Amino acid sequence: MKVRKEVKTHMTKADLVAQVAKKANLTAKAAKDAVSTVFSTMADAMKRGEKVVVTGFGTFMVRKRAARKGRNPQTGAVIQIPATKTPGFTAGKSLKRLVK
């Protein structure tokens, strides 16, 4: 019977905290606090409509989606979809080069 090696396709917040703790030589609690503080600070800035620019990584911003007409797939009736705001990310040059 062959044993499959599990390939990880994503990183969770817990994985990120563990990596920060390891690389920055912090306790797990200190790393968790640091990661949570970074994310909440970014979220607060975006809530105010500000861009968050992380040089060498990318830019987080709020994108506006215009109101538009759509269709209810069950009835075919035309419906109005309201304008919304959604978070967006644009990768920086350094990150793009790393991923290539």
Side-chain angles (χ1 to χ4, degrees):
M1 180 191 225
K2 290 185 179 181
V3 177
R4 278 186 174 175
K5 185 177 180 183
E6 195 168 316
V7 178
K8 201 154 190 175
T9 59
H10 64 279
M11 178 181 269
T12 64
K13 186 175 178 182
D15 295 336
L16 181 62
V17 168
Q19 286 294 317
V20 168
K22 182 178 174 183
K23 290 187 178 192
N25 202 19
L26 297 171
T27 65
K29 184 181 181 338
K32 183 178 180 183
D33 290 345
V35 169
S36 293
T37 300
V38 168
F39 287 153
S40 66
T41 303
M42 290 171 64
D44 289 344
M46 290 175 67
K47 190 189 275 187
R48 293 189 302 268
E50 299 173 11
K51 283 184 182 180
V52 178
V53 180
V54 182
T55 304
F57 187 74
T59 303
F60 296 86
M61 81 286 288
V62 177
R63 292 189 172 136
K64 295 178 178 126
R65 296 187 68 185
R68 62 195 191 281
K69 291 182 181 176
R71 288 198 181 270
N72 180 332
Q74 291 180 333
T75 63
V78 175
I79 57 172
Q80 184 65 28
I81 301 170
T84 60
K85 293 180 185 177
T86 184
F89 174 74
T90 302
K93 285 181 187 177
S94 299
L95 181 60
K96 286 180 183 179
R97 276 191 227 118
L98 282 173
V99 173
K100 273 189 177 180

